[in-house]
């Protein structure tokens, strides 16, 4: 029974990860993140996006990667 519940949860999370990010088209924020990528690197840019937008690590990484 526990395995079934965990499998169901894993499947829901996998589906959620396939969905595109729904961030507003904020040009100022995008420029700021691009600047952070160039100056302090990807890792700190991902951390900044997570703090500012409240995203998961995976979603923030996808967002930063999309701006490269």
């Amino acid at each position: 029974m526990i395995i079934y519940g965990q499998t169901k949860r894993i499947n829901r999370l996998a589906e959620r990860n396939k969905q595109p990010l729904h961030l507003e088209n904020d040009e100022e924020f995008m420029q700021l993140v691009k600047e952070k990528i160039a100056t302090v690197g990807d890792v700190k840019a991902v951390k900044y996006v997570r703090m500012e937008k409240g995203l998961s690590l995976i979603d923030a990484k996808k967002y930063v990667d999309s701006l490269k």
Side-chain angles (χ1 to χ4, degrees), residues 12-24 29 33 37 42-43 45-68:
R12 276 186 284 150
L13 290 173
E15 285 300 315
R16 188 174 143 228
N17 281 336
K18 290 179 187 175
Q19 297 173 355
L21 292 177
H22 297 290
L23 291 174
E24 65 275 359
F29 183 72
V33 174
I37 292 169
D42 295 355
V43 174
V46 169
K47 185 176 181 179
Y48 174 75
V49 171
R50 289 188 73 197
M51 288 174 45
E52 290 296 314
K53 297 296 182 179
L55 297 175
S56 69
L57 178 61
I58 292 171
D59 289 340
K61 175 85 168 91
K62 285 179 185 178
Y63 182 74
V64 169
D65 286 345
S66 73
L67 296 178
K68 287 184 184 178

Side-chain angles (χ1 to χ4, degrees), residues 6-16:
Q6 289 176 341
T7 303
K8 199 171 177 181
R9 183 166 186 243
I10 289 170
N11 290 338
R12 276 186 284 150
L13 290 173
E15 285 300 315
R16 188 174 143 228

